[in-house]
Amino acid sequence: MKFKKETAVGLFVLIGLVAVAYMSIKLGNVQMFSDKFYLVKADFTDISGLKVNAPIQMFGVKIGFVESITLDQEKGMASVNMFIDKDVKLTDDAIVSVKTNGLIGDKYLKIAPGGLGDPVKPGDTLFDTNPTIDLEDLISKFAFGKV
């Protein structure tokens, strides 16, 4: 009888640990199988507020996420590595912009597709980028009549 109780408790604990691991992966937006994506890079003069795992959208549809953000001191730019869904084909004349959800929402990347450029291969860099708009700077310019 005691053996059955211990087995039941052990099974319950195991199921609990599996559930916690599953929720951690799902809620943490951890990508277990990165073969669904390909890497594309972009350099920005300003990405204030952009975070790792921020969504990347095209036409309002999520097509990927920000994999990493690093500082390139030689160029004086922020370098962003993006994972783009393999089904989405980009050209090298696509425009990448840092946008905000709402007035004070989270930052995300918006890609406006090109059309006449060469296809982007994994590891390529998109050069046409628009930095984030500094709302505080814009408001202060408007308030002091410098717009």
Side-chain angles (χ1 to χ4, degrees), residues 14-127:
L14 182 65
I15 290 171
L17 289 174
V18 169
V20 167
Y22 175 77
M23 292 303 290
S24 296
I25 290 170
K26 281 298 187 187
L27 293 176
N29 200 17
V30 175
Q31 301 297 330
M32 295 293 284
F33 306 105
S34 62
D35 60 336
K36 293 173 31 181
F37 301 95
Y38 64 98
L39 179 71
V40 178
K41 301 175 184 179
D43 295 328
F44 294 86
T45 56
D46 187 10
I47 57 162
S48 298
L50 187 69
K51 297 177 182 167
V52 172
N53 288 329
I56 300 169
Q57 296 182 1
M58 181 186 291
F59 303 121
V61 177
K62 183 178 177 185
I63 61 166
F65 63 96
V66 174
E67 189 265 334
S68 65
I69 301 170
T70 57
L71 177 65
D72 188 342
Q73 290 184 330
E74 291 177 12
K75 294 180 189 176
M77 302 184 92
S79 184
V80 177
N81 289 336
M82 305 173 284
F83 275 149
I84 305 294
D85 192 325
K86 281 200 175 197
D87 296 334
V88 177
K89 305 301 180 211
L90 298 175
T91 56
D92 61 3
D93 59 345
I95 302 168
V96 187
S97 305
V98 180
K99 298 291 185 180
T100 305
N101 275 334
L103 278 177
I104 55 173
D106 291 334
K107 302 284 185 180
Y108 69 96
L109 291 178
K110 178 181 178 182
I111 297 181
L116 302 175
D118 296 326
V120 172
K121 295 184 269 311
D124 282 354
T125 301
L126 297 175
F127 294 101

